[in-house]
Amino acid sequence: MIPFNEAKNIVQSHSFQLGRETIGLNQSSGRILATDLKASMPSPRFDNSAMDGFAVRAKDTKGASKNNSVQLKLVSVSAAGSPSDAEIGPGECIQCMTGATIPKGADAIIMVEDTSGFSDSKSVQIFCEAAVGKHIRTKGEEISEGDLLIAKGTLVTASEIGICATFGYEELSVSQKPKIAIFGTGDELVEPGNDLKAGQIYNSNLYVFADLAEKARAEVVMGDVIKDDKDSLRQFLSKALATCNVVISSGGVSMGRYDYVRDVFMELGVKEHFWKVAQKPGKPLFFGTGQDTLIFGLPGNPVSSYIGFMEWVWPVLENMMSKKGSKPLTGTLTKSFPRESVKKRFLFGNAWIENSELVCCPASKVGSHMLTSALEANSILCAEPGDGILDAGDKILINVLPWKTIS
Ligand code: AMP
Ligand code: MG
């Protein structure tokens, strides 16, 4: 058994980043940006009006009020998409709509509500004074050309898609999705929808893995439940090692008589880096490397398997796509937490804000076979090794499940 942090360093030293691919903006939601994206132009690209109104010379409106209007001569119209070539001189104005180019000579916009309105008349009454620059959105005030818009490693959401469109990018360079193989082992496993015979249970781990892989934005290209026999394992694994970036198994890596997964990994030339980590649950955790593949053998117990994926596989998948991982939070326990003397201890739990403080409590069920503990949880709580339990009031690390929120 090796210490948790040592095992983490080993995994990190074998992690690698995947290449890029170019995809259309419409397909980019949920992908990870592979390059820094810079502003192709300033924003706004040209001085334009923030209001529907009249472009004026501010000094021509001096002293204008509701009871003492100033009359200006209307010389042209500037609409969004149809700029006016006219230049305004003393005592003149131009109708100027929201988003329309500010005409030459103008240095302020009077909004239409403060005038006699849009009409076919050749003159306009102005009912208020304008300061220079009023209601003008100036070129480059939001961003200068060449400025960093979005950093490499950012998850593409509506915000990023909106910005890419704003700056005219129709394609994006994103990280390739990790190709992963998931498999479960066990003669006792039956797929949901079938009847159970004596001693059998339903396979749940692969359903959890498939969803977690999708949430991590990886692509499951192979998945199967395999009997506890070496030939079937060999067949699945040799193909998985040849085609996938990551292979993840559940079960079959402990000390059981039929736990063949580790043997077959080794037979197929996988280099073992460790297979027992100082953590609970999930001490039997195999990590190995093939030619271009990382291999995680997670234990079969459903809670160990789920937490093992989140603590070990998830960060590796993010790193493969150059995505920065989120840091754990620190909160105060409202109930005691069962610490271990040499193992890092994980439990599903709930975190929430109480009196402006982040607090949390572990799930009421603590067995590694009790997957219902995940139902109540928005987090995985994690205690460093130490003597005795952690009491209510003590601090603990909180890894919020990335698709959950704290309220
Ligand atoms: P193992 O690691 O193979 O010794 O399995 C440990 C425990 O996890 C046993 O009780 C298995 O029946 C259970 N288990 C293994 N694989 C799965 C699975 N895919 N779904 C649900 N439980 C499983
Ligand atoms: Mg088994």
Side-chain angles (χ1 to χ4, degrees):
M1 181 169 87
I2 67 167
F4 185 90
N5 289 340
E6 196 180 310
K8 274 272 160 180
N9 288 339
I10 292 172
V11 172
Q12 212 166 2
S13 70
H14 288 92
S15 294
F16 54 89
Q17 295 184 334
L18 297 171
R20 312 160 177 171
E21 60 184 328
T22 301
I23 56 168
L25 190 56
N26 279 335
Q27 279 77 53
S28 67
S29 179
R31 301 299 296 269
I32 311 294
L33 205 62
T35 52
D36 284 346
L37 207 73
K38 299 204 167 145
S40 53
M41 56 190 173
S43 177
R45 197 163 75 87
F46 48 89
D47 290 355
N48 69 83
S49 177
M51 293 284 173
D52 291 321
F54 292 85
V56 299
R57 292 158 20 116
K59 59 181 159 197
D60 290 350
T61 66
K62 207 161 176 36
S65 69
K66 199 98 199 119
N67 303 318
N68 183 27
S69 66
V70 165
Q71 180 169 309
L72 297 178
K73 185 179 165 204
L74 182 66
V75 292
S76 183
V77 177
S78 181
S82 303
S84 165
D85 289 337
E87 177 168 1
I88 56 174
E92 293 178 344
C93 67
I94 287 180
Q95 283 184 9
C96 193
M97 308 307 148
T98 305
T101 305
I102 302 295
K104 284 193 215 84
D107 60 12
I109 295 288
I110 303 272
M111 57 184 191
V112 66
E113 292 87 333
D114 293 327
T115 70
S116 52
F118 295 137
S119 72
D120 293 333
S121 166
K122 290 284 167 231
S123 63
V124 187
Q125 301 302 319
I126 306 292
F127 297 125
C128 81
E129 235 179 63
V132 170
K134 189 76 182 166
H135 300 317
I136 292 181
R137 309 193 283 211
T138 53
K139 177 179 173 178
E141 71 175 6
E142 184 184 13
I143 260 196
S144 303
E145 183 173 345
D147 277 1
L148 178 66
L149 285 175
I150 311 171
K152 170 184 173 172
T154 303
L155 172 67
V156 178
T157 69
S159 313
E160 288 71 26
I161 292 173
I163 285 299
C164 290
T166 301
F167 287 85
Y169 295 110
E170 61 165 345
E171 291 183 326
L172 289 186
S173 175
V174 295
S175 296
Q176 285 170 349
K177 289 182 169 198
K179 289 188 171 37
I180 72 175
I182 54 176
F183 71 100
T185 58
D187 287 350
E188 76 279 28
L189 300 175
V190 171
E191 286 302 286
N194 297 295
D195 291 335
L196 293 175
K197 299 201 182 83
Q200 293 184 324
I201 60 165
Y202 289 119
N203 155 42
S204 60
N205 291 349
L206 283 209
Y207 290 87
V208 173
F209 283 1
D211 185 64
L212 296 180
E214 193 192 323
K215 284 191 163 64
R217 297 167 185 93
E219 192 182 345
V220 177
V221 292
M222 287 177 70
D224 211 350
V225 173
I226 300 169
K227 293 286 172 208
D228 286 320
D229 88 85
K230 285 193 174 182
D231 283 342
S232 318
L233 273 172
R234 230 178 261 125
Q235 217 178 337
F236 180 92
L237 274 177
S238 47
K239 185 166 173 216
L241 288 171
T243 52
C244 294
N245 306 116
V246 185
V247 175
I248 308 155
S249 68
S250 106
V253 287
S254 329
M255 302 298 286
R257 186 166 165 194
Y258 306 108
D259 288 344
Y260 296 136
V261 172
R262 183 168 167 252
D263 295 348
V264 177
F265 279 148
M266 312 286 262
E267 266 180 43
L268 292 173
V270 169
K271 181 167 169 21
E272 175 182 292
H273 298 287
F274 56 80
W275 77 291
K276 281 183 184 172
V277 179
Q279 64 175 14
K280 186 175 176 180
K283 183 180 81 173
L285 191 150
F286 175 96
F287 174 65
T289 45
Q291 195 122 31
D292 299 305
T293 314
L294 304 182
I295 298 111
F296 293 91
L298 303 177
N301 272 312
V303 173
S304 318
S305 198
Y306 191 154
I307 290 181
F309 191 111
M310 291 313 297
E311 294 298 325
W312 293 91
V313 182
W314 185 284
V316 163
L317 297 177
E318 286 196 325
N319 182 50
M320 280 185 163
M321 292 180 280
S322 309
K323 184 173 185 293
K324 273 195 240 80
S326 46
K327 293 217 166 71
L329 306 173
T330 300
T332 307
L333 283 163
T334 60
K335 287 190 182 146
S336 64
F337 188 98
R339 198 159 44 157
E340 294 281 314
S341 58
V342 289
K343 292 184 198 157
K344 205 148 171 157
R345 181 63 160 121
F346 295 98
L347 281 175
F348 281 113
N350 237 314
W352 69 99
I353 306 287
E354 198 169 285
N355 301 325
S356 309
E357 205 198 332
L358 182 59
V359 297
C360 61
C361 77
S364 53
K365 301 187 178 134
V366 296
S368 61
H369 56 301
M370 298 179 177
L371 191 56
T372 50
S373 61
L375 286 180
E376 312 157 28
N378 64 4
S379 305
I380 295 171
L381 308 185
C382 163
E384 295 296 335
D387 291 332
I389 60 164
L390 287 175
D391 288 317
D394 286 343
K395 299 281 185 199
I396 193 163
L397 290 179
I398 301 169
N399 283 317
V400 181
L401 295 167
W403 58 95
K404 297 270 189 176
T405 51
I406 291 179
S407 50

